[in-house]
Amino acid sequence: MRTSPWLSRVLVAGLLLTGLTSAATQAQAAAAQIDSVIPAPVSVQAVPNVSYSITASTQIRAQAGGTGVATLLADVLRRSTGFALPVSDSTGDGVSLQLSGADPQVGAEGYQLEVTATGVTIKATTTAGLFNGTQTLRELLPAKIEASTVQSGPFTVPGAKILDYPRFAYRGAMLDVARHFFPPDVVKRYVDEIALYKVNYLHLHLTDDQGWRIAIDSWPNLATYGGSTQVGGGPGGYYTKAQYSDIVAYAAARNVTVVPEVDMPGHTNAALASYAQLNCNGVAPKLYTGTNVGFSSLCVSKDVTYQFIDDVIRELAAMTPGPYLHIGGDEASSTSAADYKAFMAKVFPIVTKYGKRAVGWHDVAKATPPTSVIPQFWGTTTSDSAVSAAAGRGNKVLQSPANKAYLDMKYTSGTPLGQDWAGKIEVRTGYDWNPGNYLSGVGENAAMGVEGPLWTETIRTRQDIEFMAFPRLPGLAELGWSPWSKHNWTAYKQRLAAQGPRWQAMGVNFYRSTQITWP
Ligand code: TNX
């Protein structure tokens, strides 16, 4: 068959056009990938016409200290590429993790990442920095890289030079495992999900009226009896010390430090039910499976209360490699103001005695804490005299304003899960505030960082956790990590949209907010 000269010209033109379009599309896709990293990096330079593809012959190279991080990266990449991706301490092309030669600006958690035609180099001064660089690399790859089954390539990273480091040292997520208990696997999955966005603290709310979730050898009934139920009356549960330490180690390998919380003097019905002597009247109340707050208190006037606290904090501190231990202190409406102060004055030194720094819900600011104590602001106003006074004395403040950062608030009135006492928090509301000047008297330097608490009165499953955290948690992570100069809702919502296919590939159950144009 003969093709007419006219037709062949049209065909050639068509082919050329297709070629051009696909090159243009590829360039566009590359630009989109570079611009879709959350949290937004400090500095990103696209290198046009350069890219690197991970192939069957790609090697992952890391110096001695970096092999742990390299192996975690290889685990993610092997699942979806099906490639061998051997990890070794050799030098050469491919993906290379280096603990030397980084720009000192990267500090303790930052990194430099460069994509050339022959490979991807990540440089940092610590394994934390290397880990953060590898999370950025995941986001520079196509979404299918997150799949748990083998996908067809290419797996291409656009040419780029990135320099990145955090704005705040503390970027946290809190999970309430007391109202509903979540087994270690669910907690570990949440660690994976938050670490992708460079969140570096996981605060576990381990005790509340409805349950005590951590084994304490010197007071065994706390876990075995106090942990035996949960909201709604289900079986509850608790972490053995081995399980808890395993969670802590799993998190640490992903640059996430666990902050354990034992709430006191209120929110203690599970403890009071487990040991009669902790009650002022010597009578143990029944276990509680409702959702009221503010009705329980440890007995502030009894010596045994402080022996109990000393034992619990000693055992908890021994399981805590991180610097912080959270003592709760919120909503102590069954404790008088004077008793509250007297109680905290005895508890702060116990935390110090076991080598930790106390974090407390911002109610602790009323007890004039030593400057080492960190009040965690959970109010719904932008001024609080006790908190600003503490900041004025030199206390660092952790920012979790309930009407911005609470991941258990409903998105809209139609959200099936969650509460709304602090308001509805759509994606934009959760993103549009500045932790460095939100609270009067608490400026950039007084703010330690941000944390998104997820209370679980209405949250029962891994899917419920994900639905409330995604897509809001990445916004908080960006508030904690990215320089304020990068804050821009219009650009952010495009970056966020690009996460949708990643979450789909990972099987993350997320809320399809109508504020975002999901692809
Ligand atoms: C208030 S916020 C609480 C928690 C509840 C939460 C529900 C805070 C420090 N205390 O006990 O679970 O509201 O949103």
Side-chain angles (χ1 to χ4, degrees), residues 377-397:
F377 180 70
W378 63 280
T380 55
T381 58
T382 53
S383 72
D384 181 290
S385 56
V387 174
S388 52
R393 289 189 298 268
N395 294 74
K396 290 273 190 180
V397 176

Side-chain angles (χ1 to χ4, degrees), residues 215-349:
I216 299 293
D217 297 336
S218 50
W219 298 74
N221 297 348
L222 291 170
T224 55
Y225 182 69
S228 63
T229 191
Q230 60 183 357
V231 167
Y238 65 90
Y239 307 120
T240 64
K241 285 191 165 179
Q243 286 173 324
Y244 185 79
S245 295
D246 178 54
I247 292 171
V248 168
Y250 185 91
R254 289 152 183 82
N255 192 37
V256 173
T257 301
V258 173
V259 179
E261 177 185 352
V262 171
D263 204 344
M264 60 183 97
H267 290 278
T268 42
N269 189 77
L272 298 169
S274 305
Y275 288 98
Q277 68 262 44
L278 296 176
N279 296 270
C280 282
N281 65 1
V283 180
K286 289 201 176 77
L287 292 170
Y288 181 70
T289 61
T291 58
N292 290 338
V293 296
F295 60 88
S296 55
S297 181
L298 291 172
C299 188
V300 171
S301 60
K302 278 189 170 179
D303 288 345
V304 66
T305 298
Y306 304 97
Q307 187 54 53
F308 164 76
I309 293 169
D310 194 286
D311 288 336
V312 168
I313 291 182
R314 172 172 41 78
E315 292 195 32
L316 207 50
M319 291 186 271
T320 304
Y324 305 116
L325 202 147
H326 204 301
I327 54 169
D330 57 315
E331 300 175 318
S333 358
S334 299
T335 318
S336 72
D339 275 0
Y340 185 84
K341 284 187 195 166
F343 175 84
M344 286 298 170
K346 290 188 178 178
V347 173
F348 295 140

Side-chain angles (χ1 to χ4, degrees), residues 174 176 179 205 208-210 261 263 267 291-294 326 328-331 360-363 376-379 400 402 406 408-409 418-422 453-457:
M174 186 211 85
D176 170 7
R179 269 53 177 270
H205 182 76
D208 212 303
D209 291 317
Q210 298 86 347
E261 177 185 352
D263 204 344
H267 290 278
T291 58
N292 290 338
V293 296
H326 204 301
D330 57 315
E331 300 175 318
W361 297 106
H362 78 256
D363 317 47
Q376 179 172 9
F377 180 70
W378 63 280
S400 301
Y406 266 33
D408 68 317
M409 290 300 121
Q419 311 209 44
D420 63 1
W421 63 264
L454 181 41
W455 302 98
T456 59
E457 285 94 336

Side-chain angles (χ1 to χ4, degrees), residues 46-107:
V47 181
N49 307 318
V50 169
S51 67
Y52 174 74
S53 293
I54 293 176
T55 66
S57 56
T58 296
Q59 301 213 26
I60 301 186
R61 307 174 196 274
Q63 293 162 320
T67 44
V69 171
T71 304
L72 289 176
L73 176 67
D75 287 345
V76 173
L77 304 182
R78 283 174 191 148
R79 277 199 300 255
S80 52
T81 62
F83 302 149
L85 305 175
V87 173
S88 70
D89 64 358
S90 53
T91 52
D93 58 7
V95 178
S96 168
L97 309 186
Q98 301 176 7
L99 281 165
S100 59
D103 184 322
Q105 275 192 86
V106 302

